[in-house]
């Protein structure tokens, strides 16, 4: 009589390891932690910085979305917010700042100047026509300047991107 082999189904912790053998669960948990503790650094060159500062006031309280005060070192930051006009002379420095940040990291372009050169999008020989020529931008925040509510929309979009992205 032919012998029947029973297939053992993993149980308990083994079940989870089996079920998520491609580390989907681990990746999800890591990304959840990253999404809930964003350490921003910011490069300010012009007037958008006023709205960026307003975003961090108690009235808006960005920490409820895991967005911490932008006061840390670059080596601990994982989000770079660029506000304002970037000239061709500054472009190299901006890239240097980005390169000093550890992986994984994300970039937010805040305001028309950072997105496309803004007021200087035409007829300017020394203004970068959008920082995505220099850095990989994850979220664009339109406006001149964008108000804090628009910036919060960007934070929420970034959180979603981190949580469901394959960054781990
Ligand atoms: S987008 Fe508008 S508010 Fe922001 S830096 Fe440029 S000119 Fe100033």
């Amino acid at each position: 009589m032919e012998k029947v082999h029973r297939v053992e189904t993993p149980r308990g912790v083994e079940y989870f390891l089996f079920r998520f053998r491609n580390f989907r669960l681990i990746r999800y948990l890591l990304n959840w932690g990253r999404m809930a503790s964003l350490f921003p650094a910011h490069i300010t060159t012009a007037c958008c910085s006023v709205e960026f500062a307003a975003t961090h006031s108690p009235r808006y309280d960005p920490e409820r979305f895991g967005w911490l005060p932008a006061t840390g070192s670059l080596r601990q930051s994982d989000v770079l917010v660029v506000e304002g006009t970037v000239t061709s002379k500054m472009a190299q420095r901006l890239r240097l700042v980005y390169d000093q940040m550890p992986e994984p990291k994300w970039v937010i372009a805040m305001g028309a100047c950072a997105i496309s050169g803004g007021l200087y999008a035409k007829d300017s020989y020394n203004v970068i026509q959008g920082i995505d020529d220099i850095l990989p931008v994850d979220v664009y925040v339109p406006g001149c300047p964008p108000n804090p509510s628009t910036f919060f929309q960007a934070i929420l979009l970034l959180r979603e991107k981190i949580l469901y992205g394959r960054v781990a």
Side-chain angles (χ1 to χ4, degrees):
M1 196 172 152
E2 201 178 320
K3 206 172 169 185
V4 178
H5 291 282
R6 285 187 59 197
V7 179
E8 283 293 320
T9 314
R11 292 173 191 280
V13 175
E14 278 182 17
Y15 169 78
F16 275 99
L17 291 176
F18 171 77
R19 180 80 179 75
F20 297 97
R21 62 183 179 279
N22 63 353
F23 300 110
R24 272 203 336 245
L25 176 64
I26 296 170
R27 181 183 293 129
Y28 179 86
L29 290 175
L30 274 174
N31 288 345
W32 183 84
R34 286 168 177 149
M35 172 204 84
S37 59
L38 295 165
F39 281 82
H42 68 122
I43 298 284
T44 293
T45 62
C47 19
C48 269
S49 62
V50 178
E51 292 299 321
F52 184 75
T55 306
H56 291 73
S57 66
R59 181 187 174 109
Y60 294 103
D61 185 18
E63 283 191 45
R64 66 198 151 118
F65 298 122
W67 183 269
L68 298 164
T71 51
S73 127
L74 278 180
R75 309 266 183 213
Q76 298 164 335
S77 300
D78 49 12
V79 186
L80 180 63
V81 184
V82 182
E83 312 133 34
T85 326
V86 177
T87 61
S88 44
K89 210 169 182 180
M90 289 165 57
Q92 244 183 339
R93 304 289 188 275
L94 181 58
R95 183 68 208 198
L96 190 65
V97 166
Y98 175 79
D99 288 341
Q100 288 182 71
M101 292 167 62
E103 294 282 355
K105 52 193 169 187
W106 300 274
V107 176
I108 295 179
M110 180 176 185
C113 288
I115 294 173
S116 65
L119 297 172
Y120 312 97
K122 281 188 176 173
D123 304 328
S124 176
Y125 66 94
N126 66 341
V127 171
I128 300 293
Q129 310 292 292
I131 60 162
D132 46 12
D133 284 346
I134 312 160
L135 309 174
V137 176
D138 295 282
V139 182
Y140 298 86
V141 193
C144 180
N147 65 27
S149 315
T150 317
F151 193 76
F152 275 116
Q153 179 69 20
I155 295 177
L156 294 177
L157 285 171
L158 183 63
R159 280 165 56 99
E160 208 170 293
K161 185 169 187 176
I162 294 170
L163 187 60
Y164 299 110
R166 297 179 64 85
V167 290

